[in-house]
Amino acid sequence: MPQPHRSPRKYLSGYHPPELVLIDGGEHELLPIRVAPFPDEWATSWLRRLAWRYDIAPNKFFDQLGYRRKIYTVQAITTRLKTNVHGLADHLMLSELERAYLAAQPPLAQATRYYASEYGLIAGPTRSARFCPLCLAADPAYWRASWSQPLMLCCPEHHVALVNTCPGCHQILMTDRAWATAPIPLWQCTERLPGRPGSGKHRPRCDHDLRTAATIPVDDQTVEAQRYLLHLADTSDPGIHTVAGFRATRAQCFSAFVEILTDALPSGTDVLDPTTKPEEVLPALPVAAEILHAPNPHRAATIAHDNGILAPYGDTSPIFSKTQIRNRCHSPILVAIQLTDWADHLSKPDQLQFRTGHLVPRYPANITKNLSIERVLPELSLHDLQEIPYSSIPQALWPEALPPELRYLADTEFHHHAMSMCLAKVGSTRTWGEITAGLELPHSLSTSMNAFWRTLENNNHWPLLRSTLDHLATQLLDQPPPIDYSRRRRLAHTITDASTPADLVAFAQEHAAASHPADGAVLRDFFRLDEPAVWHPARMCRQQALPCSHNDEGGSWWHEDADS
């Protein structure tokens, strides 16, 4: 193994590095020479350039202003520049714009932190940085702020992979505090050489020339994918993008991109870990960009299949395991891609549960971890992911809510009930037993759904019924019916149990106020049982002059007849 290059700077015994001495007659609060930061320059890089210009240790600038604690971390520097503690920014002759620019986090850092917080991951403060040897060899040479981010994998200017370790000492860069104890050129490694633990001996710096590090070229497609990721990280423009046929926010696209990278890496490799070698992640960059640029979800799923990622039994966008769905958060874009691609392979209850009849399939809200509006696509809302309450579902679905091709299902009482059970299953994880109990139907119906599926398959009407139920579920969530079917069923059972006509009259008077409209309109009869044979929604609308929403065939979809 080649020995690291030793520093040529050797100090004699008793010799101390020079300190900053202000000249009498000048401005004691300001430095005599101003060093301006470059665009996209890392705050640590600028401070090191300033120290090299004055030939003093970076910490000496803080000592002159009375700082008692030594400053070694990037976070400490940016915090003091941002708040201008002890007049640090004024002392270093920084303008307001330059101070804010150096103290601000790069867009990639902000997007990464937001992604990590939303998905319950760890993305701590920046303590290390990668580098491009060709950028450090250029004039002017400085460290870019984006190099400190783990998702910055290649240099878009020179088309090479970034390097995250020193070629001399093979350590992660800028993790040791030695960089702040002496003026060191930007192209030299500041890490202390490894020593024997507990030896107590002073360890010299590596000082290897980072410009001599070997570079790995990357193709144009990978560079464009890196630029696309940087574009998605720019959250200053909260626009809507179309990815894989779905509309999504910029933050949702960024999260989907990172989730694809995570799924493409070997198990145990963390894409947010700065110690991960960039060359391990770079092959997944163009794949992620190609998936998001796909014209439709089926094409996006095909690209994922060809590259062996986004498996339906994996952690990124699982389908077949509710436990995996609950274990972590998931990108709504990748979930919609997977569910659209696997819709025809899922069982019919799962198709209802994941709402594959909708343009945007999704997980139900009650099995999604930490659901928030940030993880709902623009076509949807949190309200769209909720279960339809039993109070909006009758025991038997009304025929006018169905297209003409499906109205033959209303000829039998069992099919009436089965369709209402399917409606309760849309976007819900309820079991058939729970649904029959919620609708107060015979429990035996929960084991009879296979006969209903066979009827639909024989007539090839399942896709039509699935889309009809999904459309009806959306309407019921947007505009609940005026009748509380759950309360109506409870009252009906109570009336049935009444022993005398006097009890029935007393019960009706007790609950009359609850069903009396505030404007004095005609009382509604909430005491009738759900009997499909006497439902005439259009007649109820005419008699009570209530607003009625109609389907494409002209039939009403939520009013129930209230006549005796």
Side-chain angles (χ1 to χ4, degrees):
M1 174 178 176
Q3 293 296 322
H5 176 66
R6 295 299 195 276
S7 172
R9 189 188 300 269
K10 297 183 182 297
Y11 298 117
L12 300 176
S13 178
Y15 174 81
H16 299 284
E19 297 185 5
L20 181 63
V21 179
L22 299 178
I23 303 175
D24 293 338
E27 289 287 346
H28 289 261
E29 294 80 10
L30 303 179
L31 295 179
I33 301 176
R34 180 178 183 273
V35 177
F38 292 111
D40 189 33
E41 184 171 13
W42 200 22
T44 307
S45 169
W46 170 78
L47 190 59
R48 287 181 59 184
R49 285 199 304 111
L50 184 67
W52 180 254
R53 177 66 178 81
Y54 280 92
D55 195 28
I56 64 172
N59 265 330
K60 293 300 180 181
F61 292 107
F62 301 98
D63 294 340
Q64 294 293 329
L65 295 177
Y67 282 91
R68 296 182 179 181
R69 299 180 63 183
K70 298 297 184 180
I71 308 299
Y72 298 108
T73 65
V74 180
Q75 184 71 19
I77 295 172
T78 55
T79 299
R80 283 156 178 78
L81 288 176
K82 186 176 182 179
T83 58
N84 199 16
V85 178
H86 295 175
L88 176 62
D90 298 334
H91 175 69
L92 301 179
M93 299 181 65
L94 288 174
S95 66
E96 286 292 327
L97 182 61
E98 292 172 340
R99 178 168 66 90
Y101 195 79
L102 287 174
Q105 290 183 336
L108 187 58
Q110 299 178 24
T112 302
R113 286 181 179 274
Y114 179 80
Y115 162 78
S117 64
E118 282 293 309
Y119 285 75
L121 304 175
I122 299 176
T126 301
R127 299 184 183 277
S128 61
R130 297 165 178 165
F131 68 95
C132 171
L134 301 181
C135 288
L136 293 181
D139 187 20
Y142 63 95
W143 290 62
R144 276 58 169 175
S146 57
W147 289 355
S148 62
Q149 303 308 309
L151 292 176
M152 192 66 187
L153 304 169
C154 66
C155 177
E157 181 179 354
H158 296 105
H159 291 212
V160 296
L162 296 184
V163 182
N164 68 331
T165 58
C166 170
C169 63
H170 306 287
Q171 298 182 90
I172 304 296
L173 298 172
M174 299 297 293
T175 58
D176 191 87
R177 60 181 60 184
W179 69 269
T181 59
I184 306 172
L186 292 178
W187 54 85
Q188 285 187 0
C189 175
T190 61
E191 299 301 304
R192 297 286 185 185
L193 291 175
R196 188 176 61 186
S199 62
K201 295 182 178 180
H202 175 74
R203 295 182 294 121
R205 292 191 309 272
C206 173
D207 285 346
H208 188 89
D209 192 339
L210 301 178
R211 297 172 296 183
T212 62
T215 58
I216 301 176
V218 297
D219 54 24
D220 294 342
Q221 188 178 9
T222 303
V223 172
E224 288 301 318
Q226 179 70 80
R227 288 174 177 163
Y228 180 54
L229 182 60
L230 294 175
H231 172 68
L232 295 179
D234 184 10
T235 55
S236 60
D237 178 16
I240 301 298
H241 294 246
T242 300
V243 290
F246 301 108
R247 297 174 67 247
T249 64
R250 190 183 296 265
Q252 290 168 343
C253 297
F254 180 86
S255 298
F257 198 115
V258 181
E259 284 284 273
I260 296 174
L261 294 181
T262 300
D263 195 68
L265 293 179
S267 178
T269 305
D270 186 3
V271 69
L272 300 183
D273 187 355
T275 63
T276 301
K277 294 183 178 180
E279 54 267 26
E280 296 179 0
V281 189
L282 279 172
L285 273 180
V287 176
E290 188 179 4
I291 290 176
L292 297 184
H293 285 139
N296 54 67
H298 294 288
R299 176 56 186 161
T302 300
I303 298 172
H305 295 166
D306 293 343
N307 289 274
I309 58 177
L310 302 185
Y313 44 81
D315 294 330
T316 305
S317 52
I319 297 177
F320 301 116
S321 172
K322 293 181 182 178
T323 301
Q324 288 178 301
I325 297 176
R326 292 189 179 100
N327 281 343
R328 66 189 298 270
C329 300
H330 306 280
S331 165
I333 299 175
L334 303 184
V335 168
I337 291 173
Q338 285 290 76
L339 290 176
T340 302
D341 184 56
W342 283 84
D344 296 335
H345 304 279
L346 299 175
S347 65
K348 291 179 176 59
D350 283 345
Q351 292 185 44
L352 294 174
Q353 173 181 288
F354 295 128
R355 300 195 68 170
T356 58
H358 196 273
L359 293 177
V360 184
R362 61 271 199 184
Y363 294 148
N366 59 346
I367 62 172
T368 303
K369 182 178 181 181
N370 299 332
L371 183 65
S372 63
I373 192 62
E374 287 78 10
R375 285 191 292 277
V376 179
L377 297 183
E379 289 89 347
L380 309 173
S381 65
L382 284 177
H383 155 98
D384 292 326
L385 276 70
Q386 306 302 321
E387 294 180 339
I388 308 172
Y390 289 120
S391 59
S392 299
I393 306 173
Q395 285 182 337
L397 199 62
W398 44 92
E400 288 81 358
L402 301 174
E405 298 88 341
L406 298 178
R407 291 183 182 172
Y408 71 92
L409 295 172
D411 295 339
T412 64
E413 183 179 0
F414 166 68
H415 288 164
H416 267 292
H417 297 321
M419 286 186 289
S420 288
M421 293 170 61
C422 290
L423 181 60
K425 186 71 174 176
V426 174
S428 172
T429 57
R430 301 160 174 159
T431 64
W432 294 120
E434 293 171 343
I435 291 174
T436 54
L439 297 178
E440 299 187 22
L441 292 169
H443 182 70
S444 59
L445 293 179
S446 62
T447 60
S448 305
M449 293 303 295
N450 287 336
F452 183 63
W453 305 137
R454 286 194 296 269
T455 301
L456 294 172
E457 290 176 352
N458 293 337
N459 295 279
N460 197 25
H461 282 158
W462 166 244
L464 179 59
L465 179 61
R466 181 184 61 184
S467 59
T468 300
L469 292 173
D470 193 277
H471 179 66
L472 181 57
T474 302
Q475 289 183 306
L476 289 175
L477 288 171
D478 291 339
Q479 186 183 5
I483 298 176
D484 186 335
Y485 288 106
S486 293
R487 180 173 177 272
R488 179 173 179 159
R489 287 189 284 269
R490 291 194 302 269
L491 298 181
H493 284 299
T494 306
I495 294 174
T496 303
D497 296 338
S499 57
T500 64
D503 294 336
L504 180 61
V505 172
F507 181 82
Q509 292 176 351
E510 179 183 351
H511 294 279
S515 59
H516 197 293
D519 56 0
V522 180
L523 289 177
R524 298 176 188 169
D525 180 6
F526 286 96
F527 306 141
R528 287 186 52 80
L529 290 171
D530 294 327
E531 297 178 2
V534 298
W535 287 351
H536 299 288
R539 184 171 59 182
M540 179 182 178
C541 295
R542 290 194 300 270
Q543 289 181 349
Q544 299 197 21
L546 296 174
C548 181
S549 176
H550 295 269
N551 58 22
D552 295 339
E553 289 74 36
S556 61
W557 58 267
W558 50 249
H559 283 306
E560 181 181 3
D561 180 36
D563 294 342
S564 302

